[in-house]
Each structure stands twice: as structure tokens, then as C-alpha cells.
Amino acid sequence: MPPFIRHRASLEHDTGFGHPERADRVRAIEAELEGRDWLGWEPVEAPEATEEQLLRVHPREYVEQVRAFSERGQAFDLDTATSPGSYEAALRAAGGACALVEALLAGGERTGFSCLRPPGHHAEAATAMGFCLFANVAIAARHALDALGAERILVLDWDVHHGNGTNALFHDSCELLFASIHQFPFWPGSGPLSDVGEGKGEGYSINLPVPAGTGEAAFLSLVEHVVTPAARQYRPDLLLISAGYDAHRDDPLGGLALETSSYGGMASRVRALGDELGAPVGAVLEGGYDLRALASSVAETMAALADGAVPTDVARHPLAEQAAELVGRYWEL
Ligand SMILES: [Zn+2]
């Protein structure tokens, strides 16, 4: 049974009244799944990240700052609040992502989902921002590379916001192929098509900005015609999805137009790619702020990840053609 990694500590990270990144997000997802018998997945308790796991990505002083700010309930900025429960929640959000990659790379499971908060893809080495404290996906990727024998990892970030943290942490590395589809121009402002990485990482950042109003046809084509062929050549041993759901048409923060079923369409493509490459696929929760859209889209993702059905072909979208001109300098598309 694929692991669904969770912990009640996620409910104790209190961001304050009216904040969109709230405990009800996890409650809504779990209520949906409970009503569907967890889709046959196995709920697993998330461990706390170890100091060793955290310190591969964050300086010790920053980890201590997150602990101290949480104790006082001090906010990092207007978006990024903490409460006394935040430190444990953040440790388990990072630890759950690490437990996910451990389960996947041990060889038994083809897929899994780490459903914890706070999210992580905006957190940089020493900077909390955009509701994120620790860089969960980057920490899990680093753990897979440094401790579990992985040599190459693909991260597909389909959150409506650019995953600036993950991108920055591996910007000069070829150990991780980072692909992000995000609304642009939009917060946080990073991730133009022209940002392809630097140094040894040049070509290993695939930033795929899309304009407001973009929907499923473009997302599926970008996955199918840009990310998939690049990943085939890269041959990752592990595929991670930074699974945000704020590109859904009902999301109050995002301005894109994905449907609930679009997430199944993307997830089935990533699963098929993983099968082709012999690599497992793990998803880690990021954003998504309409409770109904979030809960149903997570369930849709999990169903598609576990199902392994071969996706149908999609038409080549103009945005994919446009992206291919630049990305095609590094990868044969
Ligand atoms: Zn987001």
C-alpha cells in the first residue's frame, strides 16, 4: 500500500485568523480521504526531521531561529507566521518528506504522498517566506542524494507559485533537474523562462512560466512535451512532485484555471514516466487554498499515482513550443 504520510502536529501550526495556509487544509484533505477509505493507501505518522537532514540544506543558526520564532509565535514576514506548535510541525513536514523518499528508495513502493504543513518550496537556505519554514522537498532530495544512494532527482513543481526555494538551493547543481510550471508574472517574481540554472547546473532548471488564465491544455503539454523528454534524457532515480493545488480555477490566491481532473492528468503522466525510467514517484504537499478543490485534487492525484494507467496523448500547446525553443538548447525535445 502506498504511504500517505501525515501527523497531527500539522494541525498545531497556527498562522492566525483568516490566513489561507491553515490547519483546515489538512483536515479537509483527510476528511475527503477518510470518506473514500484512504483510497487504499496506508496512513503513516511522519517522523521529525533529524538535525543531519536539516543541516544539509539550512544553516544551524537558521534552524535555531525557526525554533526561537515559533516559541514566541513571532512572524518572519507578513505572510509567514508562526505559533508555539510551528517548530514541531515544520520538523515533521521536512521529516515526512524524508520518510517518503526512504520508503520509495527502499524499493517496495512505487508512489507515496507526504501531506503535511507548513509547505516548503519557497523557503531558502536561511530565509523563511511564502508560508514556508523549512525547504521540505529540497531536504528530502538532499537526503536521497547524500544518504540513500540516489544520483539524479527530478522535481516537478506544479504549484501556481514559482518554487524559488528549491530552485535556488539546487541552482548550480546537476544532481537535481528542477521543472516548475507557474503563473508569471506573479509572486514571488522569480522563475522566468530564461532562468536555466548556473554553473554546473546550467540547463538543469526548467522554468515554465504561464500567463494568468492558463488551463489544463498548456499544463499537460508542458509536462508531456517539455518536462518528460528532458527527464527521459536525464534518467532520474527518483521523481518528486512539489504538489501545490493553487493553480486550480477555484483557488482564491492563484489566477490559473486547472480543473480537479487536471491533477489526475498530470499525476498519471509523472507515474508513467517513473514506470518507464524504473523510478518511484513521491508527492509532497505545497499550496492550495480552496478547501474543496484542494481535497478533491489531492485525492485525484493519489488515485492517478496509484493507478498507473497510461495517459492519452495531448496536443502540443503554443506555450510548450515557445518553451522548447530555449529548453531545447539543453535537452532534445
Ligand atoms: Zn503556491
Side-chain angles (χ1 to χ4, degrees), residues 214-223 225 257-258 262 314-320:
T214 297
E216 173 178 303
F219 270 74
L220 293 182
S221 177
L222 287 166
V223 172
H225 301 120
L258 293 186
S262 309
V314 289
R316 204 172 277 270
H317 192 276
L319 284 169

Side-chain angles (χ1 to χ4, degrees), residues 264-319:
M266 291 196 287
S268 64
R269 277 174 172 72
V270 181
R271 168 67 200 254
L273 176 62
D275 286 350
E276 187 188 321
L277 297 169
V281 181
V284 178
L285 183 67
E286 301 286 1
Y289 306 101
D290 178 85
L291 298 183
R292 189 192 301 246
L294 171 66
S296 58
S297 299
V298 168
E300 187 83 17
T301 301
M302 290 167 59
L305 285 178
D307 179 289
V310 179
T312 50
D313 288 345
V314 289
R316 204 172 277 270
H317 192 276
L319 284 169

Side-chain angles (χ1 to χ4, degrees), residues 125-333:
T127 309
M129 61 183 273
F131 318 159
C132 300
L133 300 177
F134 293 138
N136 307 325
V137 165
I139 291 166
R142 207 64 261 175
H143 182 54
L145 291 165
D146 292 1
L148 304 175
E151 292 180 354
R152 288 174 304 280
I153 297 174
L154 170 75
V155 170
L156 171 61
D157 186 326
W158 70 42
D159 189 278
V160 77
H161 303 99
H162 177 237
N164 61 289
T166 315
N167 201 179
L169 288 160
F170 286 91
H171 205 238
D172 60 359
S173 170
C174 56
E175 291 178 299
L176 185 143
L177 179 61
F178 175 77
S180 176
I181 308 173
H182 46 271
Q183 187 174 336
F184 192 88
F186 200 50
W187 194 91
S190 48
L193 183 60
S194 59
D195 180 359
V196 295
E198 63 187 325
K200 274 192 287 186
E202 186 179 343
Y204 296 89
S205 292
I206 299 180
N207 280 301
L208 303 168
V210 299
T214 297
E216 173 178 303
F219 270 74
L220 293 182
S221 177
L222 287 166
V223 172
E224 179 85 14
H225 301 120
V226 180
V227 179
T228 296
R232 272 194 192 111
Q233 289 156 62
Y234 184 61
R235 303 200 57 78
D237 334 279
L238 171 67
L239 282 57
L240 293 176
I241 301 169
S242 249
Y245 294 90
D246 39 12
H248 194 286
R249 67 162 65 252
D250 294 340
D251 193 86
L253 268 58
L256 300 185
L258 293 186
E259 310 286 346
T260 297
S261 57
S262 309
Y263 291 98
M266 291 196 287
S268 64
R269 277 174 172 72
V270 181
R271 168 67 200 254
L273 176 62
D275 286 350
E276 187 188 321
L277 297 169
V281 181
V284 178
L285 183 67
E286 301 286 1
Y289 306 101
D290 178 85
L291 298 183
R292 189 192 301 246
L294 171 66
S296 58
S297 299
V298 168
E300 187 83 17
T301 301
M302 290 167 59
L305 285 178
D307 179 289
V310 179
T312 50
D313 288 345
V314 289
R316 204 172 277 270
H317 192 276
L319 284 169
E321 296 285 5
Q322 193 190 324
E325 276 180 38
L326 179 64
V327 179
R329 289 187 207 161
Y330 301 96
W331 307 97
E332 213 170 293
L333 303 181

